C-alpha cells in the first residue's frame, strides 16, 4: 500500500540561440515566447509562432530597481520579462559563468500565455468549491519552463504580471512567480529491483494544494498517485508508490517527491509531477530509464578438441535491458599474451532476442572454429559483449586444448597419481578380505 512519510511545459530548444547572459544586473536567461494559433477546442493548433524573449531573474522586489537594465535592441516590445522570484526556484537554474558552457549544457527556456482555470480532477475539486474562476485574479498570466537536464535541474513557474508596477521601459513586463514546480532529478537511471526517488517540490503562498503523479510511456498513461491536500488522503495509490510529503513554511519549499520500490522494466517512462492550487497548476516531467547489464557465459569450458576436428563455441548473453547489445568473437594465437596478434573470428551467427518474463532480453551467439591442428594448442577464444549498462565490454575466454598435442600437465599428473594411490589402497583392502594372510590360517588350524 502507498503511504505518506513526513520527511521533511516541455521546453523548446533551437540550436544556436539558448544563451545565458551573465551581465551587470539580475541574471538573464534567453528564452522563446511560443504562441499557438488556430485549431478548435481539443484539437491541435493550426500554427505555432516563436519570438525571442528574455527573462530577468530577481529575488524579492523592494520597489523598482534604481537603474533600468540595458536590454538587447533586437527584442520586440513586450518580450522582456522582469521576474520577481521570492522563493528562488528560478534562481536555482544553473547558468554558465560569462555565458560560456559546453554544448548540451545550456538550459532551454520557453514562456507561454497562461489562463487560470479550475482543475477537473477529483483530487483537486476541493480547492475551488465555488466551481468558477474568481474575477479578481487579475493578469495577464504567463507560464515559463526552464530545463537543464545535463545540469540536473528543471522548473516550471506560473507568472502573474504586476499591473501596479510600471517599468520605465515599455518593452519590459513586470511579473511575479506565484507557483514554481521543480525537480533536481529530471533524468534518472536505475537497475532492476532497486528503489528510486523521483524528486519534486514546489513553492507557493501558504494555502491548500493537491498533488498528482502521472506515468506515461509510448502514448499510454495512468495516474500512479494522487493526493488531495484538502481532505488529506490519497484518491489513487499504486502498490509500491510512496509520497514523501513535507509542507514548507512560508517562502520555503514543499517536498512532494515520489519513491518507487523495487523498480522493473515496467516502470521505465516519463513521470509528471503536477501541483494544483486554487485555479492554478504547474507540472514538471521526469524521465526514468531502466538499465540492466547482461550476464555472460561461454561454453564448452574447458575446450578440448581432437586434431583435425571442428568445434563450436556458444556465448549465452542473458538478463539485459534495453534491447541493443553487440557480441564479437576474437582469437589470440598460442604463446604469451602479447606474442600473437588478436584477430576476429569470422564464422559466427546469433539467435534472435528472447524476451524474459521480467522484461529483460537474452540471446545466444555462436562461433565455429576451423579444424584444429596441434599448433593451435593454447589458442584463446573470447566472447566480447557491449551494452549500454556496461562501462566496459564484458569478456569471457576459453583456452583451446588439442588432444595429444603435449604431455600431461602438472595438474593432470597430480590427478593421475592420486587416482593410482586410491586404487592401490582399494585393491589392498579387498585383497586382505578375500585372501586371508598365512598367520590367520595357522590360527584357525590350531583352534
Amino acid at each position: 500500500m502507498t503511504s505518506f512519510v513526513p520527511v521533511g511545459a516541455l521546453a523548446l530548444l533551437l540550436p544556436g540561440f539558448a544563451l545565458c547572459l551573465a551581465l551587470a544586473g539580475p541574471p538573464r536567461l534567453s528564452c522563446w515566447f511560443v504562441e499557438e494559433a488556430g485549431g478548435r477546442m481539443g484539437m491541435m493548433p493550426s500554427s505555432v509562432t516563436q519570438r525571442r524573449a528574455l527573462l530577468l531573474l530577481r529575488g524579492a522586489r523592494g520597489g523598482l530597481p534604481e537603474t533600468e537594465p540595458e536590454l538587447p535592441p533586437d527584442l520586440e516590445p513586450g518580450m522582456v520579462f522582469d521576474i520577481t522570484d521570492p522563493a528562488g526556484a528560478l534562481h536555482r537554474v544553473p547558468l554558465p559563468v560569462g555565458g560560456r558552457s559546453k554544448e548540451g549544457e545550456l538550459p532551454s527556456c520557453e514562456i507561454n500565455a497562461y489562463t487560470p482555470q479550475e482543475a477537473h480532477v477529483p483530487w483537486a475539486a476541493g480547492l475551488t468549491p465555488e466551481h468558477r474562476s474568481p474575477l479578481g485574479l487579475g493578469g495577464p498570466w504567463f507560464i515559463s519552463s526552464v530545463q537543464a537536464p545535463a545540469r540536473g535541474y528543471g522548473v516550471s513557474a506560473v507568472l502573474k504580471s504586476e499591473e501596479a508596477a510600471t517599468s520605465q521601459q515599455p518593452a519590459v513586463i513586470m511579473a511575479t512567480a506565484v507557483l514554481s514546480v521543480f525537480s533536481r532529478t529530471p533524468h534518472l537511471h536505475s537497475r532492476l529491483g532497486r528503489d528510486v526517488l523521483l524528486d519534486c517540490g514546489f513553492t507557493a503562498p501558504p494555502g491548500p494544494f493537491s498533488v498528482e503523479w502521472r506515468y506515461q510511456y509510448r502514448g499510454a498513461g495512468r495516474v500512479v498517485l494522487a493526493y488531495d491536500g484538502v481532505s488529506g488522503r490519497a484518491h489513487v495509490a499504486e502498490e509500491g508508490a510512496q509520497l514523501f510529503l513535507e509542507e514548507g513554511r512560508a517562502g520555503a519549499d514543499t517536498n512532494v517527491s515520489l519513491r518507487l520500490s523495487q523498480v522493473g522494466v515496467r516502470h521505465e517512462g516519463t513521470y509528471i509531477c503536477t501541483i494544483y492550487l486554487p485555479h492554478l497548476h504547474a507540472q514538471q516531467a521526469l524521465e526514468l530509464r531502466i538499465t540492466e547489464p547482461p550476464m555472460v557465459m561461454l561454453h564448452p569450458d574447458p575446450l578440448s578438441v581432437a586434431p583435425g576436428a571442428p568445434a563450436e563455441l556458444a556465448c549465452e548473453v542473458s538478463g539485459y535491458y534495453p534491447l541493443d547489445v553487440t557480441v564479437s568473437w576474437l582469437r589470440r594465437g598460442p604463446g604469451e599474451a602479447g606474442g600473437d596478434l588478436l584477430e576476429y573470428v569470422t564464422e559466427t551467427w546469433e539467435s534472435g532476442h528472447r524476451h524474459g518474463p521480467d522484461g529483460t532480453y537474452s540471446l545466444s551467439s555462436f562461433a565455429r572454429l576451423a579444424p584444429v591442428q596441434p599448433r593451435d594448442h593454447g589458442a584463446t577464444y573470447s566472447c566480447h559483449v557491449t551494452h549500454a549498462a556496461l562501462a566496459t565490454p564484458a569478456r569471457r575466454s576459453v583456452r583451446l586444448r588439442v588432444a595429444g598435442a603435449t604431455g600431461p600437465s602438472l595438474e593432470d599428473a597430480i590427478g593421475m597419481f592420486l587416482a593410482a594411490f586410491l586404487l592401490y589402497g582399494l585393491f589392498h583392502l579387498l585383497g586382505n578380505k578375500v585372501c586371508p594372510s598365512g598367520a590367520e590360517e595357522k590360527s584357525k588350524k590350531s583352534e
Side-chain angles (χ1 to χ4, degrees):
M1 291 297 292
T2 302
S3 60
F4 303 101
V5 182
V7 295
L10 183 62
L12 177 65
L13 174 61
L14 296 185
F17 176 66
L19 303 176
C20 300
L21 308 176
L23 304 177
R28 300 178 171 204
L29 180 63
S30 290
C31 204
W32 288 103
F33 187 86
V34 179
E35 292 180 293
E36 298 177 350
R40 298 180 180 179
M41 184 68 66
M43 299 179 64
M44 294 294 291
S46 59
S47 64
V48 176
T49 61
Q50 303 166 101
R51 289 185 286 172
R52 295 178 60 180
L54 181 65
L55 305 187
L56 307 178
L57 306 178
R58 302 183 186 273
R61 194 192 308 277
L64 295 176
E66 296 181 358
T67 59
E68 292 290 338
E70 183 178 349
L71 303 178
D74 56 341
L75 289 177
E76 299 180 25
M79 289 294 101
V80 177
F81 297 84
D82 194 330
I83 300 173
T84 302
D85 182 22
L90 287 169
H91 277 268
R92 300 170 199 164
V93 175
L95 303 180
V97 178
R100 297 178 181 179
S101 182
K102 296 180 181 180
E103 185 178 357
E105 292 187 353
L106 291 171
S108 60
C109 177
E110 178 180 313
I111 187 167
N112 313 83
Y114 180 84
T115 303
Q117 56 185 325
E118 177 187 349
H120 299 285
V121 291
W123 39 91
L127 299 174
T128 53
E130 67 276 12
H131 298 290
R132 61 183 179 84
S133 295
L135 300 178
L137 283 178
W141 292 75
F142 303 91
I143 185 168
S144 64
S145 175
V146 184
Q147 306 299 322
R151 308 290 292 274
Y153 192 73
V155 58
S156 297
V158 177
L159 312 173
K160 179 183 179 182
S161 63
E162 302 175 16
E163 297 178 347
T166 305
S167 171
Q168 299 175 12
Q169 302 186 50
V172 177
I173 295 177
M174 316 294 283
T176 300
V178 178
L179 168 63
S180 297
V181 181
F182 60 87
S183 174
R184 288 169 287 243
T185 58
H187 285 183
L188 299 100
H189 292 81
S190 175
R191 291 187 57 178
L192 296 176
R194 297 184 177 179
D195 293 350
V196 173
L197 181 66
L198 305 175
D199 177 76
C200 184
F202 73 93
T203 62
F209 64 90
S210 292
V211 184
E212 175 189 285
W213 278 95
R214 177 176 290 273
Y215 168 82
Q216 288 187 342
Y217 186 68
R218 294 183 178 178
R222 68 180 187 275
V223 175
V224 176
L225 188 145
Y227 170 74
D228 184 345
V230 176
S231 64
R233 65 183 184 88
H235 282 245
V236 180
E238 283 192 356
E239 184 178 359
Q242 188 177 29
L243 181 67
F244 282 73
L245 178 61
E246 180 186 17
E247 296 188 35
R249 292 175 293 180
D253 300 345
T254 295
N255 181 21
V256 290
S257 300
L258 179 72
R259 187 173 76 172
L260 302 175
S261 300
Q262 299 182 345
V263 297
V265 172
R266 68 184 186 280
H267 291 102
E268 182 177 73
T270 301
Y271 290 82
I272 302 174
C273 173
T274 303
I275 301 300
Y276 295 96
L277 301 183
H279 306 290
L280 302 177
H281 75 277
Q283 60 190 26
Q284 183 64 37
L286 298 80
E287 298 289 336
L288 174 60
R289 292 288 173 260
I290 303 299
T291 56
E292 186 68 14
M295 295 182 292
V296 183
M297 297 182 62
L298 180 61
H299 59 84
D301 186 9
L303 176 61
S304 299
V305 184
E312 290 184 0
L313 288 169
C315 187
E316 301 293 343
V317 186
S318 61
Y320 56 88
Y321 188 88
L323 178 67
D324 295 334
V325 66
T326 302
V327 181
S328 57
W329 290 89
L330 294 99
R331 178 187 185 276
R332 186 184 294 277
E336 297 296 330
D340 295 277
L341 294 177
L342 206 62
E343 59 185 15
Y344 283 96
V345 179
T346 56
E347 194 171 356
T348 63
W349 69 98
E350 295 180 355
S351 69
H353 291 277
R354 300 182 292 272
H355 203 183
D358 61 351
T360 61
Y361 298 95
S362 303
L363 67 75
S364 302
S365 179
F366 303 93
R368 179 173 288 116
L369 283 57
V372 300
Q373 303 300 325
R375 63 177 180 273
D376 296 323
H377 182 83
T380 301
Y381 291 87
S382 302
C383 166
H384 293 246
V385 178
T386 303
H387 186 262
L390 295 171
T392 58
R395 184 183 70 176
R396 298 292 182 271
S397 301
V398 64
R399 189 177 297 275
L400 173 63
R401 294 182 179 182
V402 180
T406 61
S409 63
L410 177 62
E411 292 82 359
D412 293 339
I414 294 174
M416 293 168 60
F417 172 78
L418 292 175
F421 183 79
L422 292 173
L423 288 174
Y424 171 78
L426 179 63
F427 289 150
H428 181 74
L429 178 63
L430 293 176
N432 286 339
K433 290 184 177 182
V434 175
C435 303
S437 63
E440 292 176 347
E441 292 180 355
K442 290 181 181 180
S443 175
K444 289 181 179 180
K445 288 180 179 181
S446 64
E447 291 175 358

